[in-house]
Amino acid sequence: MVKNKMDCLCCWSLSKPFYLLLFFFSFPRMIASAAFNLSTISFDEGYSPLFGDGNLVRSPNGRTARLLLDRFTGAGFISSKMYKYGFFSANIKLPGDYTAGLCVAFYTSNGDVFEKTHDELDFEFLGNTEGKPWRFQTNLYGNGSTRRGREERYRLWFDPSKQFHRYSILWTEKNIIFYIDDVPIREVIRSEEMGGEYPSKPMSLYATIWDASNWATSGGKYKVNYKYAPFVSEFKDFVLEGCPSDPIEEFPSVECYESYSRLESADYATITRRQRSAMRKFRQRYMYYSYCYDSLRYPVPPPECVVIPSEKDRFRDTGRLRFGGSHQGRKRRSRRRGRIQVSRIEYDPDV
């Protein structure tokens, strides 16, 4: 591995506007002090290898898994069962140094079962050139609505390669919440107008690392550089809460209805007043693209969008921030992600 690690976070922050430096130190204190009440499992209790053979490395006690990308292959794992609604979570640490072209994904999908009508909920972490921060996006699809992507892109308030942070997806019949640690960063509330575009079929949980050189960093300008390989992402403290379901069953079992009730009464199912304030501040400081404000793409915002006038004023009609120099855009293009063709925005936030 190449040494020359990224400088400390304080040094990195000094290159940013002063208000971001202040926010960097104050933001973690804005969230609830108590962590969620979670029951973790070992890898073998909930997951199976997906691809990559020797590039999936489990710790002797089975509590940690590493996914490696080298010049021959990436790696991935999948939950052993499919779930109809659930809470999916893990502590994750991303690769450091030069990570351009990398994509580390933590997501739910049923694309292997419903090839043309699949559902999906995504965390996708996008690498960068050395000294520049990781970025990430969240997205969702329902019933094969891949041409109607619902991407949001963000920066982080910490270096995700230095220590573990918890990334979680809550998926219920009523709403979807993406969390980083205890901070909700995005909520999608189901509406009747969404119809089948709200994910509603059983899904598996996936984690993968792969070469996305053709789109992940600056629209494909910077590729994976294998002299820095192997690239290692680490996963531990796994959480799988939900009702295992057969994707071809028309009606859920009684046990699943009980599971849904437990899921919706859990502490992570309710966004507290303090958490909602933290979510608002996160989105103000770190979200640099929102499909809800991309009027070129969607002249009429999708039905789940809650358009906030003061927030909308900060974005161009491309869905990009009006201010902040580093938030310049590239054209949209289509690309293939794994098994399924989807339409995604491809912007370069670092120009």
Side-chain angles (χ1 to χ4, degrees):
M1 293 286 288
V2 175
K3 299 289 183 184
N4 295 332
K5 300 287 185 182
M6 184 187 300
D7 291 335
C8 69
L9 286 177
C10 294
C11 298
W12 175 82
S13 297
L14 286 173
S15 66
K16 305 297 176 185
F18 184 65
Y19 76 90
L20 284 181
L21 179 61
L22 292 176
F23 185 76
F24 173 88
F25 290 109
S26 63
F27 184 76
R29 293 194 291 271
M30 297 177 187
I31 66 174
S33 58
F36 294 137
N37 182 22
L38 302 175
S39 297
T40 62
I41 60 174
S42 67
F43 182 91
D44 290 336
E45 287 178 291
Y47 301 94
S48 301
L50 180 63
F51 71 97
D53 298 326
N55 281 10
L56 167 57
V57 181
R58 284 167 278 184
S59 63
N61 65 4
R63 308 300 296 189
T64 301
R66 292 184 174 186
L67 297 181
L68 283 66
L69 172 68
D70 57 29
R71 66 179 64 253
F72 302 105
T73 184
F77 59 81
I78 183 175
S79 60
S80 303
K81 299 177 181 178
M82 301 182 77
Y83 295 84
K84 177 72 176 285
Y85 307 126
F87 183 77
F88 312 97
S89 182
N91 273 319
I92 304 172
K93 185 163 69 171
L94 301 177
D97 296 316
Y98 183 100
T99 58
L102 289 185
C103 180
V104 176
F106 184 73
Y107 65 105
T108 64
S109 179
N110 50 32
D112 287 340
V113 179
F114 304 101
E115 186 174 351
K116 295 183 179 180
T117 59
H118 88 288
D119 305 301
E120 190 168 324
L121 299 170
D122 292 318
F123 269 112
E124 288 182 311
F125 303 95
L126 309 176
N128 217 330
T129 54
E130 190 167 5
K132 291 186 177 181
W134 280 84
R135 296 142 302 126
F136 74 103
Q137 66 181 25
T138 61
N139 204 350
L140 68 108
Y141 300 109
N143 206 34
S145 58
T146 56
R147 294 186 179 277
R148 196 172 167 87
R150 292 170 160 89
E151 305 95 335
E152 290 186 350
R153 280 197 176 188
Y154 327 82
R155 296 180 184 275
L156 289 160
W157 67 94
F158 54 84
D159 183 344
S161 70
K162 296 300 184 184
Q163 57 187 352
F164 286 91
H165 286 268
R166 180 166 291 283
Y167 303 89
S168 308
I169 301 171
L170 171 68
W171 170 44
T172 76
E173 187 177 20
K174 301 174 181 177
N175 68 336
I176 296 160
I177 304 175
F178 293 88
Y179 282 100
I180 297 181
D181 295 324
D182 297 339
V183 180
I185 63 165
R186 179 180 183 182
E187 181 182 26
V188 178
I189 298 175
R190 186 175 193 170
S191 67
E192 290 184 8
E193 292 78 10
M194 288 186 73
E197 293 189 2
Y198 187 88
S200 58
K201 297 186 294 293
M203 292 192 277
S204 300
L205 186 283
Y206 294 80
T208 58
I209 184 171
W210 51 290
D211 184 330
S213 290
N214 63 326
W215 69 275
T217 308
S218 298
K221 179 179 179 181
Y222 299 101
K223 314 293 185 182
V224 173
N225 187 337
Y226 284 103
K227 80 174 185 179
Y228 294 90
F231 302 97
V232 182
S233 55
E234 298 183 67
F235 300 77
K236 67 177 184 178
D237 302 325
F238 305 102
V239 177
L240 280 176
E241 294 286 353
C243 185
S245 300
D246 186 330
I248 64 174
E249 283 186 354
E250 187 173 356
F251 300 104
S253 65
V254 174
E255 290 78 10
C256 280
Y257 283 113
E258 294 173 352
S259 173
Y260 302 160
S261 179
R262 289 194 301 272
L263 192 68
E264 293 179 7
S265 63
D267 53 1
Y268 47 72
T270 301
I271 299 179
T272 67
R273 190 171 173 181
R274 190 172 184 183
Q275 285 175 315
R276 196 163 292 281
S277 174
M279 179 167 68
R280 183 175 65 252
K281 290 179 171 63
F282 169 83
R283 295 173 68 82
Q284 288 173 347
R285 296 292 191 268
Y286 291 101
M287 183 173 73
Y288 63 84
Y289 172 83
S290 172
Y291 73 104
C292 288
Y293 300 125
D294 191 340
S295 59
L296 297 182
R297 188 182 187 190
Y298 298 120
V300 177
E304 74 281 0
C305 287
V306 178
V307 176
I308 303 170
S310 60
E311 186 173 83
K312 182 180 180 181
D313 289 344
R314 298 171 47 238
F315 291 86
R316 300 186 180 99
D317 57 5
T318 60
R320 303 284 297 183
L321 284 177
R322 290 182 181 277
F323 309 105
S326 64
H327 305 305
Q328 302 298 318
R330 289 187 182 271
K331 295 180 181 179
R332 286 195 296 272
R333 58 191 292 268
S334 295
R335 52 99 174 169
R336 180 171 295 275
R337 177 184 179 276
R339 304 171 300 281
I340 301 159
Q341 183 71 32
V342 299
S343 176
R344 298 286 179 95
I345 54 165
E346 298 305 340
Y347 290 114
D348 177 13
D350 300 308
V351 172

